[in-house]
Amino acid sequence: MTTDAARPDARRNDPKGTRERLIDTAYAAFVGNGYHATSMHDLKREAGVSGGALAHHFPTKKDLGLSVLRDRVTRAVEETWIAPLQAASGAREGILSIFGEIAVELEGRGSVTGCPLNNLSYDMARQDPDFRDEIELTFRRWRDAIARKIRDRQGALNEVDPDAFAVLVVAAYSGAMAMARASQTAAPLKACASQLERIMIDWDII
């Protein structure tokens, strides 16, 4: 019988794959359970790596936390919000489409873990200035993408402040996701989308 050790590919060195697996494991744990409630021992066990491999890629828990914020949370905001907004014909269509798609996804999944950025901002931002800077940078990119889309279509057509409205959209979405997590239903997200639609129509946000 051939053992694992005898297989040429059984112990293949894959540092990049190990690093990505650690970040994925930490992302799921931090979003679901909280940064402070998750230990490095938990992550080592869940990722199936040795203590040496963990220390090689991430000497401290903070190093891993920063990688989760930069490589997973920021990317999630880019994929969920910023890219769809850029591709949309206008701010109103883009914002409502994103709310609707996320509501459908939550209903199909049958569980709500909340907005990753929102979850981690509660747990991490107040504890460390480096975490706070990374989180605020991601929030700023998100707000800027919304404001930029409004400016692209609005010009001087009305008196809407694109930056202020972007704050309203991000706050409404973040709050709705927190409520959706508490109730385990997409209803708060749908309610917010409905009210934002009325506001955008009344304010002529295209």
Side-chain angles (χ1 to χ4, degrees):
M1 181 174 69
T2 304
T3 65
D4 284 348
R7 294 191 198 127
D9 62 341
R11 303 181 67 84
R12 181 183 298 155
N13 187 25
D14 183 17
K16 182 178 179 181
T18 298
R19 184 181 187 277
E20 292 299 302
R21 186 162 73 253
L22 282 165
I23 296 175
D24 284 337
T25 301
Y27 173 73
F30 293 167
V31 171
N33 304 321
Y35 174 80
H36 295 288
T38 304
S39 71
M40 292 292 268
H41 179 75
D42 294 333
L43 296 173
K44 180 183 71 172
R45 184 184 65 251
E46 289 297 319
V49 302
S50 67
L54 176 56
H56 171 74
H57 291 286
F58 302 104
T60 69
K61 187 178 177 183
K62 178 177 176 176
D63 292 326
L64 183 51
L66 286 170
S67 291
V68 166
L69 291 174
R70 292 166 181 162
D71 298 349
R72 293 297 181 273
V73 177
T74 296
R75 188 172 72 186
V77 173
E78 291 277 349
E79 293 175 350
T80 302
W81 270 94
I82 296 176
L85 270 174
Q86 291 172 340
S89 61
R92 187 196 306 172
E93 183 261 329
I95 291 166
L96 295 178
S97 176
I98 292 166
F99 268 83
E101 288 178 7
I102 293 173
V104 169
E105 179 186 344
L106 296 182
E107 290 175 334
R109 189 188 306 161
S111 65
V112 183
T113 57
C115 169
L117 181 59
N118 209 30
N119 291 0
L120 294 183
S121 67
Y122 292 145
D123 198 29
M124 299 171 75
R126 61 192 172 91
Q127 299 293 333
D128 188 287
D130 293 329
F131 288 157
R132 186 161 56 250
D133 289 346
E134 286 295 331
I135 289 167
E136 173 51 26
L137 177 61
T138 302
F139 270 121
R140 185 163 65 248
R141 287 173 177 165
W142 184 1
R143 296 192 304 266
D144 287 349
I146 297 171
R148 186 164 51 250
K149 196 67 179 184
I150 295 172
R151 287 192 181 94
D152 287 346
R153 294 299 305 273
Q154 293 303 114
L157 292 179
N158 58 38
E159 298 179 358
V160 171
D161 180 339
D163 295 303
F165 188 75
V167 171
L168 174 63
V169 173
V170 172
Y173 176 80
S174 298
M177 287 296 282
M179 294 170 67
R181 182 179 185 181
S183 65
Q184 288 297 298
T185 172
L189 209 61
K190 293 180 177 180
C192 274
S194 176
Q195 294 306 305
L196 283 173
E197 182 176 21
R198 294 179 63 180
I199 292 170
M200 287 189 285
I201 290 172
D202 289 344
W203 291 358
D204 293 326
I205 295 176
I206 301 171

